Amino acid sequence: EPEVTQTPSHQVTQMGQEVILRCVPISNHLYFYWYRQILGQKVEFLVSFYNNEISEKSEIFDDQFSVERPDGSNFTLKIRSTKLEDSAMYFCASSEFLPQALTNYGYTFGSGTRLTVV
Amino acid sequence: EDKVVQSPLSLVVHEGDTVTLNCSYEVTNFRSLLWYKQEKKAPTFLFMLTSSGIEKKSGRLSSILDKKELFSILNITATQTGDSAVYLCAVDNTDKLIFGTGTRLQVFP
């Protein structure tokens, strides 16, 4: 079964440092997403990406965050200057939805990167 | 503001019991409602529901959507210890998934 893969599985970083979280979405998927889940809280949307540009972003996704699809397979989330409150599990997801069509898949999530900012 | 509310927050049952998990929503531009099971890390896909009244089944799990009353239920029959997890309900509003807080199910032998 196709998978979304994320690396690293766990990253510890010092406050103020830049981090890059990496994701390889499912190859025929068109839409890519980042979500995060702070420990004990609900999963929250960060950003969606389609056709090489951001299609929507949440209030959480401020100027410190950026996304990129540098080579047609990887999808990265960069946090420029991490804060303590950025500590969370970050999930990448992809879907093959087109705006006018639905499949039976839903979104496929990666296994997540646990980011710990100290 | 879009919101998804799940109940109960937590459920403790014995193996063999049947459970019903609830999800209500208020979301503009509804496209579909999804159920996920989250054990240790990534949510794993269970069901996607788009039409009212059509039950989706997978083994001991089933789910149905009511778009008039804006809710969905997830049923698990003959629960097993392996069903212990957090069950997440999410609504796709065409741009993103909006998640509920989840229902934590614990199944004891």
Side-chain angles (χ1 to χ4, degrees):
Chain A
E1 192 170 323
E3 286 185 345
V4 174
T5 56
Q6 287 187 244
T7 55
S9 57
H10 190 186
Q11 177 143 9
V12 181
T13 188
Q14 287 200 321
M15 196 167 54
Q17 295 296 304
E18 174 183 287
V19 294
I20 297 176
L21 310 183
R22 302 179 193 281
C23 169
V24 179
I26 294 173
S27 60
N28 65 338
H29 282 190
L30 301 174
Y31 288 80
F32 313 112
Y33 310 84
W34 284 100
Y35 289 80
R36 79 171 186 192
Q37 187 175 33
I38 295 171
L39 189 63
Q41 297 186 24
K42 64 170 72 174
V43 178
E44 302 173 290
F45 169 77
L46 292 178
V47 65
S48 59
F49 192 85
Y50 170 70
N51 202 25
N52 285 319
E53 60 183 26
I54 290 173
S55 46
E56 181 160 343
K57 59 185 180 179
S58 71
E59 290 174 355
I60 303 166
F61 194 88
D62 61 21
D63 292 344
Q64 293 301 310
F65 290 86
S66 62
V67 288
E68 208 176 31
R69 190 158 157 79
D71 55 13
S73 62
N74 290 288
F75 179 52
T76 61
L77 174 70
K78 183 193 291 186
I79 310 174
R80 285 191 187 82
S81 178
T82 49
K83 303 188 277 280
L84 294 176
E85 53 265 37
D86 293 328
S87 295
M89 182 74 91
Y90 288 80
F91 293 110
C92 174
S94 67
S95 77
E96 59 180 312
F97 288 136
L98 297 174
Q100 299 82 22
L102 289 172
T103 70
N104 208 28
Y105 266 124
Y107 295 63
T108 302
F109 283 82
S111 54
T113 292
R114 179 165 296 286
L115 176 67
T116 304
V117 182
V118 296
Chain B
E1 184 184 334
D2 292 341
K3 62 180 179 181
V4 177
V5 178
Q6 292 185 247
S7 65
L9 290 180
S10 180
L11 201 49
V12 180
V13 300
H14 288 289
E15 270 191 320
D17 288 351
T18 292
V19 297
T20 298
L21 282 55
N22 304 294
C23 176
S24 63
Y25 63 91
E26 291 177 34
V27 174
T28 53
N29 299 318
F30 175 93
R31 179 160 71 175
S32 63
L33 184 144
L34 299 100
W35 284 96
Y36 288 87
K37 179 181 182 182
Q38 186 177 30
E39 293 176 89
K40 292 191 177 161
K41 285 193 173 179
T44 52
F45 174 74
L46 294 175
F47 297 111
M48 184 172 82
L49 304 157
T50 56
S51 302
S52 280
I54 299 173
E55 186 182 50
K56 295 234 175 159
K57 280 184 74 88
S58 176
R60 296 175 293 102
L61 277 66
S62 63
S63 184
I64 198 160
L65 174 68
D66 185 328
K67 289 169 75 173
K68 186 178 173 190
E69 299 298 328
L70 307 182
F71 78 89
S72 174
I73 59 171
L74 175 69
N75 278 320
I76 309 175
T77 59
T79 51
Q80 302 170 356
T81 54
D83 295 327
S84 297
V86 175
Y87 289 83
L88 301 174
C89 172
V91 173
D92 181 350
N93 74 344
T94 73
D95 292 315
K96 60 184 178 287
L97 293 182
I98 301 157
F99 282 85
T101 49
T103 293
R104 180 174 295 280
L105 174 65
Q106 292 176 278
V107 182
F108 287 99

